[in-house]
Amino acid sequence: MPHTQGEVRFEFVASNILHPLEKLVAVRHHGNEFFLLYVQKEAKGLLKSDKLTRPSPNYVIKEALNAYAKAADLEVLASNVDEAPKNVHLEENSALRHIGDFIQDFPAHPRIWIEVGFGSGRHLLHQAKNNPDVLIIGLEIHKTSIEQVLKQITIMNLSNIQVLDYDARLFLELIPSNRIERIFVHFPVPWDKKPHRRVISDAFVAEAERALVVGGTLELRTDSDLYFAYALETLTALQKVSFEVHKNRDLSISSKYEDRWKRMHKNTYDVTMHNQIHSPQRSEQYRFELPIERKSDDEVIALSGTIHRFDEGFVHFERIYRVDGGGVLLRLAMGSFDRPEHLYALLTPTQTRYVPALPIPSRANYRAHLLLGALLHG
Ligand SMILES: C[S@@+](CC[C@H](N)C(=O)[O-])C[C@H]1O[C@@H](n2cnc3c(N)ncnc32)[C@H](O)[C@@H]1O
């Protein structure tokens, strides 16, 4: 290491301090930075992608897995990774964006809509096709749905969709104030037993209000009585708000979920909030640089497993890896209690930085970052 196999670059290997047979292999491929996870068990090993840094589309990972097996001269006993050429739709597709694109430069398009959790993408594609002068940002966390929708975007030759593999609850904080015309949240997962995981929350509605232009709308569509009641309660808690409610309203397009509910004769509720507030721009500028001067590797390793709290958030040193060649790699959960970031921090003699990307510039993340810096500095 470092080593290049075809188009894939392997940077370093790091071993879990508690389970040295579990290793992360750092990869750079097609502009993505991610890890492969290698777990050794007796004479056999399992090589797979690391969940936290897993890039999209899938072929990027497949190529890296195959390249590593070749470079390390592994004898493949069983594999579910095919050698098939990458999907041409994905390769040609420029609709797939990274969160970093939005942090550096939010799209300047004059008319922007957002769809949260587009699933099969029927509504997203329909709206894009029928509103060519609008840019629609589609947010989804389910990779297979993203890949299927990217294929459709290519087939339908749509150039006004940007797809992002990112949690909508975090994304809203990044939007400049008064920029979005419509935010669709259609059939969100109800999470009746874990309400804190719902997309709609006090914080989400407040951020939506800030991001919407005056007259812009937040449009929830749900088949869940509980979610409907919860949304009404959340909206009514706002200081000043105006919203309308419809029951069993037909839209020009019906999603996959909706078709299923209709067959089951379930009710559908629409709650549309109309924003009336012109919000000030955010003034905070957060910088996420980790300290170059820091504790020794062994002192950092002593933090393994510890959790450090402050009033609105925390830093959890979930796992620590020793980097071959010197340094440590920290697997962290940090930020607000509700919406923590899961990411790595790489601390070697030559680099100190977050991997695969900086935490998103929210207040809670910045406070967690400052706490992390203090813990590493001693
Ligand atoms: C029940 S499905 C509905 C899909 C689609 N809107 C429809 O009507 O058919 C909910 C979708 O929201 C996505 N999702 C859940 N939480 C999310 C989040 N925080 N950010 C973005 N997407 C999310 C899920 O992956 C899932 O595809």
Side-chain angles (χ1 to χ4, degrees), residues 117-119 140-142 166-169 186-187 189 199 255 257:
F118 54 74
E140 180 49 71
I141 52 175
H142 183 237
Y166 207 70
D167 189 319
R169 299 173 300 170
H186 284 188
F187 300 96
V189 182
V199 167
S255 82
Y257 278 84

Side-chain angles (χ1 to χ4, degrees), residues 167 169-170 173 194-198 201 203 306-316 318 333-342 362-369 371:
D167 189 319
R169 299 173 300 170
L170 297 168
E173 274 197 54
K194 293 183 185 164
H196 65 279
R197 297 187 70 171
R198 286 176 176 156
S201 68
T306 58
I307 302 176
H308 307 261
R309 295 182 175 81
F310 54 98
D311 54 352
E312 62 176 335
F314 69 102
V315 175
H316 181 189
E318 290 184 329
M334 60 186 265
S336 74
F337 294 115
D338 288 346
R339 301 183 276 171
E341 293 255 346
H342 298 271
S362 69
R363 211 174 81 99
N365 282 348
Y366 188 60
R367 291 188 62 196
H369 162 79
L371 174 58

